[in-house]
Amino acid sequence: MGRVGEKRAVEFLKKKGFKILKTNYKTVLGEIDIIAQDNEVIVFIEVKTRTSDVFGAPAEAVDKKKQEKYYKTATYYLQKEKKLDSECRFDVIEIENGQINHIFNAFGV
């Protein structure tokens, strides 16, 4: 279900004019679902897909520990790509019952 949600999220972002830089970016520090560019901003995106809200809203699964891991992995990416001076942000895309909710600046570490 997660990979299907990520593919939908990529399609959604492309329609919104985002340039997709990487998907399923993996390092020893962690994984980032989607790395995209929104104009001049590099966006690190966590995709959460759910069929119901029994366990809460999808974005609620991105807890402080997950945010810190995302930050470390994003920093690694920026260093590796020599983009440390780039403006960046962390978004969450929730997909629940087929509906997409894009949360800008969902967290900052």
Side-chain angles (χ1 to χ4, degrees):
M1 183 169 58
R3 295 286 181 226
V4 171
E6 289 170 16
K7 286 182 180 183
R8 287 207 53 219
V10 165
E11 292 169 12
F12 171 82
L13 292 167
K14 285 180 177 178
K15 287 179 183 175
K16 296 289 185 182
F18 285 65
K19 178 181 176 187
I20 305 302
L21 303 175
K22 302 272 183 189
T23 58
N24 303 109
Y25 180 74
K26 296 178 185 177
T27 73
V28 296
L29 300 169
E31 179 181 350
I32 296 176
D33 293 332
I34 301 169
I35 302 173
Q37 191 164 342
D38 181 17
N39 295 314
E40 299 302 315
V41 179
I42 296 176
V43 187
F44 300 95
I45 304 161
E46 172 74 359
V47 179
K48 289 295 181 190
T49 306
R50 300 281 189 272
T51 55
S52 75
D53 61 359
V54 171
F55 298 106
E60 291 174 4
V62 186
D63 60 13
K64 194 69 170 168
K65 186 175 181 180
K66 179 78 169 179
Q67 292 174 21
E68 289 171 1
K69 202 171 198 181
Y70 242 69
Y71 179 76
K72 288 176 184 174
T73 307
T75 300
Y76 178 86
Y77 170 83
L78 293 170
Q79 287 174 335
K80 188 173 181 211
E81 299 296 321
K82 297 178 177 42
K83 296 183 178 188
L84 282 171
D85 292 337
S86 299
E87 182 181 349
C88 64
R89 72 172 191 257
F90 298 89
D91 292 359
V92 172
I93 292 184
E94 299 178 313
I95 302 175
E96 187 174 3
N97 295 320
Q99 299 298 311
I100 296 177
N101 180 31
H102 185 177
I103 305 167
F104 290 79
N105 289 315
F107 60 89
V109 182

